[in-house]
Amino acid sequence: MKKTKELKEKENFIMFPTVDFCFKELMQNENVRKGIIAALLNVSPDEIESTILIQTILRKEYEDDKYGILDVRVKLKNGTQIDFEMQVAAYEYWDKRSIFYLSKMYTDPIKEGEGYDTLKKCIHVSILNSVHFPEDDVCYRRIAFCDTETGKEYSDLMEMHMLELAKLPPEAQNEEGIILWMRFLGGRCEEDFRHMAEKDKYIEEAYDTLKKLSADEEKRLEYEARQKVIRDHNSFMKSAEKRGLQQGIEKGIQKGIQQGIQQGIQYTLKALELKKQNLSAEQIAEELQISLNDVKMILGEK
């Protein structure tokens, strides 16, 4: 009976795109990239001629510069670059971090001696499974440079798209474009994914890819390892929060403890991700701006 139950669970298993490992694997499919990019740019997928995955580590111009490590970086035929960041947990300084990524991506391609006319459009896309703008119920917004008095756009060379999956309203009739993709990415069961696949052929391909990934034993092990890291740290941080809250009540520093816990989660997850990209402990410490000893403790190195 136990084996039958395990077999049934295995057959019903489906990955969630909000786990960054799964999202990155989905974006390996060119048609998936084409579909979601077309939705973001509000154009027909036929207008997206090329979507090339490129290096996610942004170069440093000077020795003391900070690295920029992106989740998924795509280059279009016209030179436009798009950075996709899947962020599950709330990140206190996400506004600053996203601006850093966008700015570094914008200047990364230009070489010494080249003119500013060579700079191409860059787009940062934050896919957030939490609320980033608590002051309203808007789940998708495009942010660009504009005149604060007239609202007239100054330049479209740098822009940001914020997708807050946690703020998606109840499904309405005749939804299209990026909202459909947000519902797919935020799906919590196979029925959710199947339902959205019926509405768009590119989402259908994403669903087919998701099923293949979920059926791949090796990919599943990687996915579950990533989930385990997140679960373990959530459990650890909840325990730390419980202890910290007691201390915070006594010392009046509850807010500082909570901020420290969130920062600890982010440092740990990012350090493990950078390790997978073959960065040394020294490079990881520099990127995260934490001590080398802390990095080695996270990675389990002596």
Side-chain angles (χ1 to χ4, degrees), residues 10-44:
K10 187 174 182 179
E11 290 175 348
N12 294 334
F13 171 76
I14 191 80
M15 293 184 183
F16 291 161
T18 46
V19 175
D20 53 4
F21 168 80
C22 177
F23 178 71
K24 292 176 185 179
E25 290 292 320
L26 284 176
M27 293 294 280
Q28 297 295 313
N29 184 307
E30 185 173 10
N31 282 331
V32 173
R33 298 196 301 270
K34 180 183 289 189
I36 193 170
I37 289 171
L40 282 166
L41 302 183
N42 196 26
V43 299
S44 167

Side-chain angles (χ1 to χ4, degrees), residues 196-221:
M196 300 317 300
E198 294 171 354
K199 297 175 179 292
D200 181 281
K201 71 176 185 178
Y202 291 93
I203 295 180
E204 181 181 15
E205 178 141 359
Y207 172 50
D208 289 339
T209 303
L210 188 62
K211 288 191 293 183
K212 290 175 183 177
L213 284 171
S214 301
D216 186 314
E217 188 65 27
E218 185 176 336
K219 297 293 185 184
R220 176 174 177 169
L221 290 174

